[in-house]
Amino acid sequence: MYSFKNDYSEGCHPNILKALAETNKTQQEGYGDDQYSIKAKELIKEIIRSKHATVHFVSGGTQANLIVISSILKPHEAVISAHSGHINVHEAGAIEATGHKVCTCYSQDGKLTPKQILEVVKEHNEPPHMVKPRLVYISNATEVGTVYNLNELQELSKCCKDNNLLLYIDGARLGVALITTANYHLTLADVAKYSDVFYIGGTKNGALLGEAIVIPNKELQEDFPYHLKQKGALMAKGRVLGIQFLELFTNNLFFELAEHANSKAMQLVEIISDAGYKFLLTPESNQIFPIFPQKLAKIITDKYECYPWQVMNDNEVAIRMVCSWATSDEAITDFEKTLKK
Amino acid sequence: MYSFKNDYSEGCHPNILKALAETNKTQQEGYGDDQYSIKAKELIKEIIRSKHATVHFVSGGTQANLIVISSILKPHEAVISAHSGHINVHEAGAIEATGHKVCTCYSQDGKLTPKQILEVVKEHNEPPHMVKPRLVYISNATEVGTVYNLNELQELSKCCKDNNLLLYIDGARLGVALITTANYHLTLADVAKYSDVFYIGGTKNGALLGEAIVIPNKELQEDFPYHLKQKGALMAKGRVLGIQFLELFTNNLFFELAEHANSKAMQLVEIISDAGYKFLLTPESNQIFPIFPQKLAKIITDKYECYPWQVMNDNEVAIRMVCSWATSDEAITDFEKTLKK
Amino acid sequence: MYSFKNDYSEGCHPNILKALAETNKTQQEGYGDDQYSIKAKELIKEIIRSKHATVHFVSGGTQANLIVISSILKPHEAVISAHSGHINVHEAGAIEATGHKVCTCYSQDGKLTPKQILEVVKEHNEPPHMVKPRLVYISNATEVGTVYNLNELQELSKCCKDNNLLLYIDGARLGVALITTANYHLTLADVAKYSDVFYIGGTKNGALLGEAIVIPNKELQEDFPYHLKQKGALMAKGRVLGIQFLELFTNNLFFELAEHANSKAMQLVEIISDAGYKFLLTPESNQIFPIFPQKLAKIITDKYECYPWQVMNDNEVAIRMVCSWATSDEAITDFEKTLKK
Amino acid sequence: MYSFKNDYSEGCHPNILKALAETNKTQQEGYGDDQYSIKAKELIKEIIRSKHATVHFVSGGTQANLIVISSILKPHEAVISAHSGHINVHEAGAIEATGHKVCTCYSQDGKLTPKQILEVVKEHNEPPHMVKPRLVYISNATEVGTVYNLNELQELSKCCKDNNLLLYIDGARLGVALITTANYHLTLADVAKYSDVFYIGGTKNGALLGEAIVIPNKELQEDFPYHLKQKGALMAKGRVLGIQFLELFTNNLFFELAEHANSKAMQLVEIISDAGYKFLLTPESNQIFPIFPQKLAKIITDKYECYPWQVMNDNEVAIRMVCSWATSDEAITDFEKTLKK
């Protein structure tokens, strides 16, 4: 049963396994002071064109989110998120567990707008009785596969600066957001330029594990490693993370893997569109949400692993299909055949 | 420059890399529901002879400690630890960050005694003005290489039961504690029998990363995965952990690696003893603390990476030397030559 | 400038001052073990007809809320509240600061329904990725002056029991909720019978300060004083709280003061209705929300202190007016004159 | 049975009750914006000769401690305290519950020295594995009645400044520390000058309840009211606190009450010394610790309420006796008679 359930069903890109094997016997410093982590950090700083940024590797996205957010906010400060944001829905209260409220805005497409941010700020007008919004959280790509483009990011950045807010980008799927044809102009350097802190997702883009937290804003850099340690994120064998990111950012592997995931998703989109079906949201990256008649949806979810997403009406249902760095041509062809039957 | 600094300087045992490579392409469920994790958990439960225990894999020891402890304690409850306990000294306040006090007892050899535990309980006699001790934390092997034997563990267990305390064993170095010649009789099944929760350390015993939290006490099992998720420890590609523990507990690899670490350390002990030097603490596992004249210590720490540990007097200093699953015969021979010169 | 801004603008009922003066010189145990607190607790237990309940006095409502909620919930558990609930809006993130998410339902009249609660439970269907709702928070009277009647409370209680949820009632304004003509049948004993924990508000019903937390559910009673102490709520001179509640519950003073507040509010309602104006919500207790033309609203808010509440349209605005145990006949008469002009 | 158990056994000074009664009917703004609080804050700022300090009233000492400390520290930062410090022993883990470690130094006389502080700083030399000490907590008078004099305070202040540490003084018993004959030169203005934040205790010096947090360090002032609100310390009827501090600092009442407490304690000291008994610590303020033969101690604790403190040997025990603003001449005379018998 082939899985279109998510983008972390397989292991990792073979180059990464190879690099782990080749470096396996060398002795290295622990806790991220190994040579591979040091090189990988330098490489990332070059690519984002920011000498003064700091880079830190952690093992997962929820970990990145809770550490970044709790390291920034004072006890009375809150983070603004789309209601569908990962930190609001799918992290088992990780942010609240560090003491902070998540202020939410309803968002049909998973994206936050400057207008919504301003409304949240305006509503919180009774100091000291209400929390003080201080940070804006967006995910790019979002949890529903949509992407922020350069222009949107610039506007969010301006809105934040104008309102004494910081901007944090959850980049669990940053690769596919950068590489999508919906987003010609956005680069990693832009992401670094227009945010205060963000992370580059490895787990969902071909690594075994690992996310790279990047902090362009100097004021947020001080003492950051303490937060990593305190929250259990400072791996003794930090080399495991360093080696992977070194591999991902050598010879553009990171971008190639994202390109693969997107292009496979777009093949599915074409197949599904050609068959006459529509989508819940315009497909922009590796997560797509086709709307199928109930019967057809049943056939598909019986044959492929994927999440039913939303009942549209008595006859139709949207399902979530995800392609990854590892999605095969065969899987696409097979799906095409299934659909045609 | 050869490193005797710690037991996480190298990558992992080659069998683990091989297993990662062999399983790399299969699609698996995320978040620990993969086949490898499921099998590895069953295997561990067999070895500890407890069908009803639950097993959970996480990426590191501080993570294991903070999740276990915060999942057990109510806000006013505290954990008792030796002053030298990892949670008290080297976790950047991870336990306090989850809201709990660490009550400490001074311990010269890194071990807690029932007598010390009783004293802490007795001191906390002014409810509700003082915290309520509820959990005892020990590490086996300890942070200074000493080990608790079966008898000591039984006595601690009894003391805890008699005083309405729970017992948690930090097993970052559980392998070397079980396999040491100082500890003929202690088995993993004993550890499970005499504790309420413990973890089996992979990172310091030949894995790339990974610790296996084992919960024999049924009352502590409910909802545990929520805590993993909330603290950022539930890896999307849980297979990475499952594969490693499956490998470690197949064909006794886990114990063989610990045996290697201990026997190399004992070779060092013999060399050092033969040369006429003493130790800060009787060597029992893979961490040893020889006392050298300042001059000799300088020569050694110039040639090998290892921590100066404690200034004994104007002339002597104790240093920490650690052997691992990967320590080579050449390194031992080389050290012997150095010492003889 | 007379204030209809809230129900805590004046000091306290003279009987309370008298009682404080009369008892002032006696020596008493600290931290709530004084004779007055002990008597007041017994008196409250008699009135709620529950021998096994426990009673604890604290200085304020936010304090009561954060202590009760954090004492009940495990780290991954959440509380359900109307979006307008005090804990969600006006406590500066107090609940999140103790580590817990507030799951909200939109409520036009400030009240939660069993249907809404069920929806929240149903949505949280992805363990362990989402928080686990465990507690329902309602305020009676609500933040917008509406009240839950006996029938509604019974249904909420049943819904909670059926879904393994606990029910907590914020009774900052419980007096006016019990005594309102909209609520003939609800008694303090009912509140105790149909909730797991609640508090009786003193501050907004004639005390200088003080709220009485009542815990009918035995399972929530253990170690509660530790939570009081840890959160800074255990007053050294607990007598100050005990004396006040003893006074409030002797000779029905508590209910008389609530009756006064409600009847003054209903006089305002009659005056405003007679003048042809409507209300945002049907007035049920001591908080009313008349809708006035902008011009008239301006005249009123220039003459009396009260909060503009909600702009209805270009011409009309709703304002909040609150009566208290201390609202005078003169104030009502004066307002009537103002309105007629 | 007369109580020498503590300094909060009685109600409050009659002037305070009178002021509460006289102001009872006036309507005032809530949450500390009342006229009395505003005036009291101005008065305190005059007395401490600091125009730019901010003053905030809360209901108790544990509350003051947990709010001040959690408002200052970042998640990885810790507070240094004597092992006997109130925050370490008698606050049920209040500081840890806000996420922070208390680093302790053993202190026979309850006082911290610059040398001890430096040792703690020096020990915490493994960033990011250890917490980062950032704040020093002292209580003046200490929990065992000793006092810091001007010179000691200056030295602590210098030590803190030199080591990037902030200084916080718990002044639950600041009155008796300032007024003691052991401390001719220390003024409230000095306390403000040499600390970053402190509080002036009302509860233990003649108020019904109330502590005044004073923040001379401008960098710690921002957003402080949010912390008050979030921790449940912002009283709706803030007037209750304002009125009391206004009264305490009008006509030197605060200092007169402290003087009374100290002088009564010194009368006890003279009586006890004359009878040939010694003290555990040199008596300096209103808490004294005479050492009596077991038999005599029994007679005294049977007749007067007071805490047995420390068993000295088989024959002797130290007890704690406390005088207050309300201790009567009769009590002293009666004790003298008892002792002579």
Side-chain angles (χ1 to χ4, degrees), chain D residues 8 26 77 111 119 219 232 278 294 302 324:
Chain D
Y8 42 87
T26 66
E77 293 177 339
K111 289 159 70 176
E119 273 164 22
E219 290 176 19
K278 300 220 173 310
Q294 294 276 14
D302 278 355
S324 83

Side-chain angles (χ1 to χ4, degrees), chain D residues 184-308:
Chain D
Y184 283 119
H185 302 296
L186 188 66
T187 65
L188 258 189
D190 292 324
V191 171
K193 186 172 175 187
Y194 294 109
S195 73
D196 295 283
V197 49
F198 66 100
Y199 82 82
I200 304 170
T203 304
K204 292 174 178 166
N205 197 31
L208 268 187
L209 73 156
E211 325 293 314
I213 298 170
V214 184
I215 315 182
N217 182 336
K218 281 185 187 178
E219 290 176 19
L220 306 183
Q221 294 172 1
E222 194 188 357
D223 286 348
F224 194 79
Y226 281 98
H227 300 277
L228 294 176
K229 179 64 197 170
Q230 187 182 73
K231 299 302 189 279
L234 199 62
M235 284 177 60
K237 292 181 181 169
R239 64 195 288 157
V240 176
L241 300 169
I243 289 163
Q244 294 187 79
F245 275 95
L246 194 53
E247 206 58 36
L248 284 174
F249 283 102
T250 300
N251 300 326
N252 274 322
L253 180 60
F254 179 81
F255 298 102
E256 282 173 18
L257 298 182
E259 167 63 29
H260 182 91
N262 278 352
S263 68
K264 290 298 158 196
M266 291 308 143
Q267 289 178 17
L268 287 182
V269 168
E270 209 181 318
I271 291 163
I272 292 164
S273 299
D274 286 355
Y277 302 108
K278 300 220 173 310
F279 295 84
L280 184 63
L281 293 158
T282 308
E284 295 186 327
S285 63
N286 70 323
Q287 294 189 75
I288 62 174
F289 298 81
I291 299 169
F292 291 125
Q294 294 276 14
K295 238 184 188 172
L296 177 54
K298 175 84 170 58
I299 291 167
I300 291 170
T301 55
D302 278 355
K303 180 148 189 213
Y304 305 99
E305 292 220 38
C306 51
Y307 281 114

Side-chain angles (χ1 to χ4, degrees), chain A residues 9 12 19 58 98 107 118 126 150 157 168 170 174 183 192 210 223 235 241 267-268 273 277 290 293-294 331-332:
Chain A
S9 292
C12 66
V58 298
T98 68
S107 167
L118 287 174
E126 290 179 57
L150 176 57
S157 174
Y168 169 46
D170 177 335
L174 190 55
N183 214 350
D223 285 348
M235 284 177 59
L241 300 170
Q267 288 178 18
L268 286 183
S273 297
Y277 303 108
Q294 293 275 14
I332 304 295

Side-chain angles (χ1 to χ4, degrees), chain C residues 5 9 12 29 207 237 239, chain D residues 9 24 29 207 237 239:
Chain C
K5 197 171 171 184
S9 293
C12 65
E29 288 293 306
K237 292 181 180 168
R239 62 194 289 157
Chain D
S9 292
N24 192 49
E29 287 293 307
K237 292 181 181 169
R239 64 195 288 157

Side-chain angles (χ1 to χ4, degrees), chain D residues 44-84:
Chain D
I44 288 173
K45 285 160 71 175
E46 266 178 47
I47 291 169
I48 64 168
R49 287 181 210 154
S50 168
K51 280 182 194 168
H52 64 264
T54 59
V55 181
H56 309 270
F57 301 123
V58 297
S59 69
T62 296
Q63 201 174 66
N65 287 337
L66 77 90
I67 292 170
V68 166
I69 293 171
S70 70
S71 76
I72 290 173
L73 298 182
K74 291 174 194 156
H76 61 297
E77 293 177 339
V79 55
I80 301 172
S81 166
H83 82 286
S84 52

Side-chain angles (χ1 to χ4, degrees), chain C residues 14-25:
Chain C
N15 288 10
I16 287 174
L17 281 182
K18 201 170 150 238
L20 287 172
E22 285 170 0
T23 60
N24 192 50
K25 293 210 168 162

Side-chain angles (χ1 to χ4, degrees), chain A residues 5 9 24 207 237 239, chain B residues 5 9 12 29 207 237 239:
Chain A
K5 198 170 170 183
S9 292
N24 192 50
K237 292 182 180 167
R239 62 197 288 156
Chain B
K5 197 171 172 183
S9 291
C12 63
E29 289 292 306
K237 292 181 181 168
R239 64 194 289 154

